[in-house]
Amino acid sequence: MVDKKGTTVFFNETMAEIDGLDREDVIGKSVFDLFPSLTNESSTLIRALRTGKETVDKVQTYMNMKGKQITSINSTYPLFRDGEIIGAVELAEDITRIVQLNDQVLDLRQQLYKKTTHKKNSRNDTQYHFSDIIGQSPLFQQALTRAKRAARTQSPVLICGPTGTGKELIAQSIHNASIRRDKPFIAQNCAAVPRELMEGLLFGTTKGAFTGAIDRPGIFEQADGGTLFLDEINSLDIMLQAKLLRVLQDGRVRRVGGSTEQEVNVRIVAAMNIGPQEALANNILRSDLFFRLNVVNIELPPLTKRKEDIELLIHHFIEKFNQTFAMKVTGVSNEVMETFLHYSWPGNIRELRHAIESAFNMLEENEETIRLHHLPPQFTEKPLDLEPAATIERADAFLPSHPMHLPSYMETIERNIIDDALRRYKGNVSKTAEALGIKRQALQYKLKKFNL
């Protein structure tokens, strides 16, 4: 926090660690004394003092006092008293390590991209085919049929389904059954990269576009001729969704900071872990992008809707881990099978796989049957969810005594259920999300939405 002259009046311990400074040496010093590489134009704090405007989620790269390059995402707000600017406060999140790892991934991808462009029949970076997919339930077979038919065309595909249902497995299978099978397959989770870095990752960068930028192709260029799998597309920033839509329509990309466009021939397979209608209603997915992607729609059912496949999947994972662990497990006990059939499976097939792997770690060398005590705690402990009676009682408490707009009423109930769960798990977002059967990111979105 600085006063109206740009002099530091508050500096917390975490910021001191990021900047490599001692708090005592910072208080009373100006921004430019502390960070000589900053200017009136590049300092978000000075900009707030000069313009009175806030800056939200701005990427800033600078050298700290020890000569280390720091990259952070800053949100800066001017402070007013009686309409006059008296200072500014800045909240910073250090993403230096994320940027470094991101650059390493991009460099490796670029090396692979250069290497494969010289090979006509290079193998793509996939491991799954339709023959690897297990499931006999009608709902899943219906989804599988749509996926196989989609492999014959070039149209965009949108795969929807809860976490752990095998969306990337389906995406890879579509690619490997298509005429693009000998071309690149690149998968990118849109929630895994800060939105400020995502544009350069997608479309590439031009040297000098921003601090540290070099000439580098984005994943659209790297996937040219092949398939680009964009997971959790609903997590992509709205402004980037607009740019993505333009690329899909025109088939051309422009690198960040560049002045020319380049044609790309890429098939898009996108995926979402929430329903399209929810994403559209909450304005986290552009309707025009949805309609452009939703040419072929594949709905993957949760494991609770394909319980007839649980036994098949159990035997598949047992065979797999028998090879990995050099063991001879033959199956699971009746008690385990009954537990699995009645479990809610918030993590779906991925959770089932992890449960079997966890059990293998608990087995003695001579044991051949997975029993209840071998399983992770969530299968043996009493569920911490609200009891049915308590749920009904809570729902009755929210029944309106007068006419109410249904969506608002539903949001009120949802907010209170999340609030209850958050309190139950003492603010632990990961445990709360697991208990509610939703992804951590989805819960964070709802926490922000409901101001919890």
PDB file of all heavy atoms in Angstrom, residues 181-202:
ATOM      1  N   ARG A 181      -5.128 -39.125 -37.954  1.00  0.00           N
ATOM      2  CA  ARG A 181      -4.448 -39.954 -36.950  1.00  0.00           C
ATOM      3  C   ARG A 181      -2.932 -39.827 -36.983  1.00  0.00           C
ATOM      4  O   ARG A 181      -2.269 -40.028 -35.964  1.00  0.00           O
ATOM      5  CB  ARG A 181      -4.864 -41.418 -37.120  1.00  0.00           C
ATOM      6  CG  ARG A 181      -4.434 -42.061 -38.413  1.00  0.00           C
ATOM      7  CD  ARG A 181      -4.852 -43.526 -38.474  1.00  0.00           C
ATOM      8  NE  ARG A 181      -6.284 -43.636 -38.578  1.00  0.00           N
ATOM      9  CZ  ARG A 181      -6.969 -43.666 -39.743  1.00  0.00           C
ATOM     10  NH1 ARG A 181      -6.305 -43.551 -40.890  1.00  0.00           N
ATOM     11  NH2 ARG A 181      -8.276 -43.778 -39.763  1.00  0.00           N
ATOM     12  N   ASP A 182      -2.351 -39.526 -38.152  1.00  0.00           N
ATOM     13  CA  ASP A 182      -0.903 -39.409 -38.258  1.00  0.00           C
ATOM     14  C   ASP A 182      -0.412 -37.987 -38.025  1.00  0.00           C
ATOM     15  O   ASP A 182       0.780 -37.705 -38.173  1.00  0.00           O
ATOM     16  CB  ASP A 182      -0.431 -39.896 -39.633  1.00  0.00           C
ATOM     17  CG  ASP A 182      -0.662 -41.385 -39.811  1.00  0.00           C
ATOM     18  OD1 ASP A 182      -0.508 -42.123 -38.822  1.00  0.00           O
ATOM     19  OD2 ASP A 182      -1.007 -41.806 -40.935  1.00  0.00           O
ATOM     20  N   LYS A 183      -1.320 -37.093 -37.671  1.00  0.00           N
ATOM     21  CA  LYS A 183      -0.984 -35.701 -37.403  1.00  0.00           C
ATOM     22  C   LYS A 183      -1.012 -35.451 -35.891  1.00  0.00           C
ATOM     23  O   LYS A 183      -1.450 -36.294 -35.111  1.00  0.00           O
ATOM     24  CB  LYS A 183      -1.964 -34.778 -38.134  1.00  0.00           C
ATOM     25  CG  LYS A 183      -1.935 -34.924 -39.659  1.00  0.00           C
ATOM     26  CD  LYS A 183      -0.580 -34.517 -40.229  1.00  0.00           C
ATOM     27  CE  LYS A 183      -0.593 -34.602 -41.753  1.00  0.00           C
ATOM     28  NZ  LYS A 183       0.704 -34.201 -42.338  1.00  0.00           N
ATOM     29  N   PRO A 184      -0.585 -34.274 -35.453  1.00  0.00           N
ATOM     30  CA  PRO A 184      -0.494 -34.031 -34.005  1.00  0.00           C
ATOM     31  C   PRO A 184      -1.837 -34.056 -33.290  1.00  0.00           C
ATOM     32  O   PRO A 184      -2.865 -33.665 -33.854  1.00  0.00           O
ATOM     33  CB  PRO A 184       0.129 -32.621 -33.923  1.00  0.00           C
ATOM     34  CG  PRO A 184       0.777 -32.389 -35.238  1.00  0.00           C
ATOM     35  CD  PRO A 184      -0.034 -33.145 -36.237  1.00  0.00           C
ATOM     36  N   PHE A 185      -1.804 -34.524 -32.065  1.00  0.00           N
ATOM     37  CA  PHE A 185      -2.923 -34.386 -31.128  1.00  0.00           C
ATOM     38  C   PHE A 185      -2.378 -33.631 -29.929  1.00  0.00           C
ATOM     39  O   PHE A 185      -1.459 -34.101 -29.251  1.00  0.00           O
ATOM     40  CB  PHE A 185      -3.470 -35.747 -30.687  1.00  0.00           C
ATOM     41  CG  PHE A 185      -4.547 -35.657 -29.637  1.00  0.00           C
ATOM     42  CD1 PHE A 185      -5.886 -35.600 -29.995  1.00  0.00           C
ATOM     43  CD2 PHE A 185      -4.222 -35.628 -28.275  1.00  0.00           C
ATOM     44  CE1 PHE A 185      -6.882 -35.519 -29.020  1.00  0.00           C
ATOM     45  CE2 PHE A 185      -5.211 -35.541 -27.306  1.00  0.00           C
ATOM     46  CZ  PHE A 185      -6.539 -35.492 -27.681  1.00  0.00           C
ATOM     47  N   ILE A 186      -2.907 -32.440 -29.673  1.00  0.00           N
ATOM     48  CA  ILE A 186      -2.448 -31.624 -28.555  1.00  0.00           C
ATOM     49  C   ILE A 186      -3.620 -31.375 -27.614  1.00  0.00           C
ATOM     50  O   ILE A 186      -4.686 -30.926 -28.042  1.00  0.00           O
ATOM     51  CB  ILE A 186      -1.860 -30.288 -29.033  1.00  0.00           C
ATOM     52  CG1 ILE A 186      -0.569 -30.542 -29.826  1.00  0.00           C
ATOM     53  CG2 ILE A 186      -1.568 -29.361 -27.850  1.00  0.00           C
ATOM     54  CD1 ILE A 186       0.101 -29.293 -30.351  1.00  0.00           C
ATOM     55  N   ALA A 187      -3.408 -31.700 -26.350  1.00  0.00           N
ATOM     56  CA  ALA A 187      -4.441 -31.497 -25.320  1.00  0.00           C
ATOM     57  C   ALA A 187      -4.028 -30.350 -24.423  1.00  0.00           C
ATOM     58  O   ALA A 187      -2.876 -30.249 -24.007  1.00  0.00           O
ATOM     59  CB  ALA A 187      -4.629 -32.766 -24.502  1.00  0.00           C
ATOM     60  N   GLN A 188      -4.977 -29.468 -24.121  1.00  0.00           N
ATOM     61  CA  GLN A 188      -4.723 -28.339 -23.235  1.00  0.00           C
ATOM     62  C   GLN A 188      -5.906 -28.130 -22.312  1.00  0.00           C
ATOM     63  O   GLN A 188      -7.034 -27.966 -22.775  1.00  0.00           O
ATOM     64  CB  GLN A 188      -4.464 -27.061 -24.036  1.00  0.00           C
ATOM     65  CG  GLN A 188      -4.221 -25.833 -23.177  1.00  0.00           C
ATOM     66  CD  GLN A 188      -2.995 -25.982 -22.295  1.00  0.00           C
ATOM     67  OE1 GLN A 188      -1.914 -26.308 -22.781  1.00  0.00           O
ATOM     68  NE2 GLN A 188      -3.150 -25.761 -21.000  1.00  0.00           N
ATOM     69  N   ASN A 189      -5.642 -28.147 -21.000  1.00  0.00           N
ATOM     70  CA  ASN A 189      -6.677 -27.834 -20.026  1.00  0.00           C
ATOM     71  C   ASN A 189      -6.738 -26.323 -19.860  1.00  0.00           C
ATOM     72  O   ASN A 189      -5.769 -25.700 -19.442  1.00  0.00           O
ATOM     73  CB  ASN A 189      -6.369 -28.512 -18.683  1.00  0.00           C
ATOM     74  CG  ASN A 189      -7.504 -28.387 -17.697  1.00  0.00           C
ATOM     75  OD1 ASN A 189      -8.028 -27.298 -17.470  1.00  0.00           O
ATOM     76  ND2 ASN A 189      -7.901 -29.495 -17.105  1.00  0.00           N
ATOM     77  N   CYS A 190      -7.880 -25.737 -20.183  1.00  0.00           N
ATOM     78  CA  CYS A 190      -8.015 -24.278 -20.159  1.00  0.00           C
ATOM     79  C   CYS A 190      -8.018 -23.711 -18.746  1.00  0.00           C
ATOM     80  O   CYS A 190      -7.848 -22.505 -18.564  1.00  0.00           O
ATOM     81  CB  CYS A 190      -9.302 -23.872 -20.877  1.00  0.00           C
ATOM     82  SG  CYS A 190      -9.308 -24.304 -22.633  1.00  0.00           S
ATOM     83  N   ALA A 191      -8.213 -24.578 -17.751  1.00  0.00           N
ATOM     84  CA  ALA A 191      -8.215 -24.105 -16.360  1.00  0.00           C
ATOM     85  C   ALA A 191      -6.831 -24.194 -15.734  1.00  0.00           C
ATOM     86  O   ALA A 191      -6.628 -23.709 -14.622  1.00  0.00           O
ATOM     87  CB  ALA A 191      -9.204 -24.918 -15.531  1.00  0.00           C
ATOM     88  N   ALA A 192      -5.864 -24.794 -16.439  1.00  0.00           N
ATOM     89  CA  ALA A 192      -4.554 -25.057 -15.840  1.00  0.00           C
ATOM     90  C   ALA A 192      -3.576 -23.912 -16.015  1.00  0.00           C
ATOM     91  O   ALA A 192      -2.513 -23.907 -15.393  1.00  0.00           O
ATOM     92  CB  ALA A 192      -3.961 -26.331 -16.449  1.00  0.00           C
ATOM     93  N   VAL A 193      -3.910 -22.937 -16.863  1.00  0.00           N
ATOM     94  CA  VAL A 193      -2.991 -21.833 -17.155  1.00  0.00           C
ATOM     95  C   VAL A 193      -3.683 -20.519 -16.820  1.00  0.00           C
ATOM     96  O   VAL A 193      -4.851 -20.327 -17.178  1.00  0.00           O
ATOM     97  CB  VAL A 193      -2.588 -21.849 -18.647  1.00  0.00           C
ATOM     98  CG1 VAL A 193      -1.676 -20.675 -18.985  1.00  0.00           C
ATOM     99  CG2 VAL A 193      -1.903 -23.171 -19.000  1.00  0.00           C
ATOM    100  N   PRO A 194      -3.002 -19.592 -16.129  1.00  0.00           N
ATOM    101  CA  PRO A 194      -3.612 -18.285 -15.861  1.00  0.00           C
ATOM    102  C   PRO A 194      -4.075 -17.627 -17.148  1.00  0.00           C
ATOM    103  O   PRO A 194      -3.411 -17.728 -18.183  1.00  0.00           O
ATOM    104  CB  PRO A 194      -2.454 -17.488 -15.228  1.00  0.00           C
ATOM    105  CG  PRO A 194      -1.561 -18.516 -14.634  1.00  0.00           C
ATOM    106  CD  PRO A 194      -1.643 -19.704 -15.555  1.00  0.00           C
ATOM    107  N   ARG A 195      -5.218 -16.975 -17.084  1.00  0.00           N
ATOM    108  CA  ARG A 195      -5.815 -16.435 -18.304  1.00  0.00           C
ATOM    109  C   ARG A 195      -4.901 -15.430 -18.988  1.00  0.00           C
ATOM    110  O   ARG A 195      -4.953 -15.262 -20.210  1.00  0.00           O
ATOM    111  CB  ARG A 195      -7.158 -15.776 -17.984  1.00  0.00           C
ATOM    112  CG  ARG A 195      -7.081 -14.573 -17.055  1.00  0.00           C
ATOM    113  CD  ARG A 195      -8.466 -14.045 -16.753  1.00  0.00           C
ATOM    114  NE  ARG A 195      -8.410 -12.839 -15.922  1.00  0.00           N
ATOM    115  CZ  ARG A 195      -9.492 -12.209 -15.486  1.00  0.00           C
ATOM    116  NH1 ARG A 195     -10.680 -12.678 -15.786  1.00  0.00           N
ATOM    117  NH2 ARG A 195      -9.374 -11.121 -14.746  1.00  0.00           N
ATOM    118  N   GLU A 196      -4.025 -14.759 -18.199  1.00  0.00           N
ATOM    119  CA  GLU A 196      -3.133 -13.772 -18.780  1.00  0.00           C
ATOM    120  C   GLU A 196      -2.074 -14.421 -19.665  1.00  0.00           C
ATOM    121  O   GLU A 196      -1.480 -13.747 -20.515  1.00  0.00           O
ATOM    122  CB  GLU A 196      -2.452 -12.961 -17.664  1.00  0.00           C
ATOM    123  CG  GLU A 196      -3.403 -12.092 -16.862  1.00  0.00           C
ATOM    124  CD  GLU A 196      -4.187 -12.875 -15.820  1.00  0.00           C
ATOM    125  OE1 GLU A 196      -3.838 -14.050 -15.562  1.00  0.00           O
ATOM    126  OE2 GLU A 196      -5.146 -12.328 -15.257  1.00  0.00           O
ATOM    127  N   LEU A 197      -1.790 -15.707 -19.477  1.00  0.00           N
ATOM    128  CA  LEU A 197      -0.798 -16.416 -20.275  1.00  0.00           C
ATOM    129  C   LEU A 197      -1.428 -17.258 -21.372  1.00  0.00           C
ATOM    130  O   LEU A 197      -0.735 -17.743 -22.265  1.00  0.00           O
ATOM    131  CB  LEU A 197       0.043 -17.334 -19.373  1.00  0.00           C
ATOM    132  CG  LEU A 197       0.750 -16.680 -18.187  1.00  0.00           C
ATOM    133  CD1 LEU A 197       1.472 -17.738 -17.370  1.00  0.00           C
ATOM    134  CD2 LEU A 197       1.730 -15.621 -18.665  1.00  0.00           C
ATOM    135  N   MET A 198      -2.750 -17.419 -21.293  1.00  0.00           N
ATOM    136  CA  MET A 198      -3.429 -18.359 -22.178  1.00  0.00           C
ATOM    137  C   MET A 198      -3.414 -17.906 -23.632  1.00  0.00           C
ATOM    138  O   MET A 198      -3.300 -18.732 -24.541  1.00  0.00           O
ATOM    139  CB  MET A 198      -4.876 -18.552 -21.697  1.00  0.00           C
ATOM    140  CG  MET A 198      -5.560 -19.760 -22.304  1.00  0.00           C
ATOM    141  SD  MET A 198      -4.791 -21.302 -21.743  1.00  0.00           S
ATOM    142  CE  MET A 198      -5.682 -22.483 -22.747  1.00  0.00           C
ATOM    143  N   GLU A 199      -3.510 -16.608 -23.869  1.00  0.00           N
ATOM    144  CA  GLU A 199      -3.555 -16.117 -25.248  1.00  0.00           C
ATOM    145  C   GLU A 199      -2.273 -16.480 -25.989  1.00  0.00           C
ATOM    146  O   GLU A 199      -2.304 -16.955 -27.131  1.00  0.00           O
ATOM    147  CB  GLU A 199      -3.786 -14.613 -25.279  1.00  0.00           C
ATOM    148  CG  GLU A 199      -3.932 -14.065 -26.687  1.00  0.00           C
ATOM    149  CD  GLU A 199      -4.285 -12.583 -26.714  1.00  0.00           C
ATOM    150  OE1 GLU A 199      -4.326 -11.961 -25.639  1.00  0.00           O
ATOM    151  OE2 GLU A 199      -4.502 -12.058 -27.821  1.00  0.00           O
ATOM    152  N   GLY A 200      -1.121 -16.251 -25.347  1.00  0.00           N
ATOM    153  CA  GLY A 200       0.147 -16.599 -25.965  1.00  0.00           C
ATOM    154  C   GLY A 200       0.285 -18.092 -26.168  1.00  0.00           C
ATOM    155  O   GLY A 200       0.873 -18.545 -27.166  1.00  0.00           O
ATOM    156  N   LEU A 201      -0.252 -18.890 -25.236  1.00  0.00           N
ATOM    157  CA  LEU A 201      -0.200 -20.342 -25.363  1.00  0.00           C
ATOM    158  C   LEU A 201      -1.027 -20.814 -26.554  1.00  0.00           C
ATOM    159  O   LEU A 201      -0.597 -21.670 -27.325  1.00  0.00           O
ATOM    160  CB  LEU A 201      -0.720 -20.985 -24.072  1.00  0.00           C
ATOM    161  CG  LEU A 201      -0.782 -22.520 -24.042  1.00  0.00           C
ATOM    162  CD1 LEU A 201       0.614 -23.111 -24.124  1.00  0.00           C
ATOM    163  CD2 LEU A 201      -1.473 -23.005 -22.789  1.00  0.00           C
ATOM    164  N   LEU A 202      -2.196 -20.238 -26.729  1.00  0.00           N
ATOM    165  CA  LEU A 202      -3.077 -20.647 -27.824  1.00  0.00           C
ATOM    166  C   LEU A 202      -2.569 -20.193 -29.184  1.00  0.00           C
ATOM    167  O   LEU A 202      -2.492 -20.980 -30.134  1.00  0.00           O
ATOM    168  CB  LEU A 202      -4.489 -20.094 -27.602  1.00  0.00           C
ATOM    169  CG  LEU A 202      -5.357 -20.742 -26.528  1.00  0.00           C
ATOM    170  CD1 LEU A 202      -6.638 -19.937 -26.343  1.00  0.00           C
ATOM    171  CD2 LEU A 202      -5.690 -22.178 -26.890  1.00  0.00           C
TER     172      LEU A 202
END
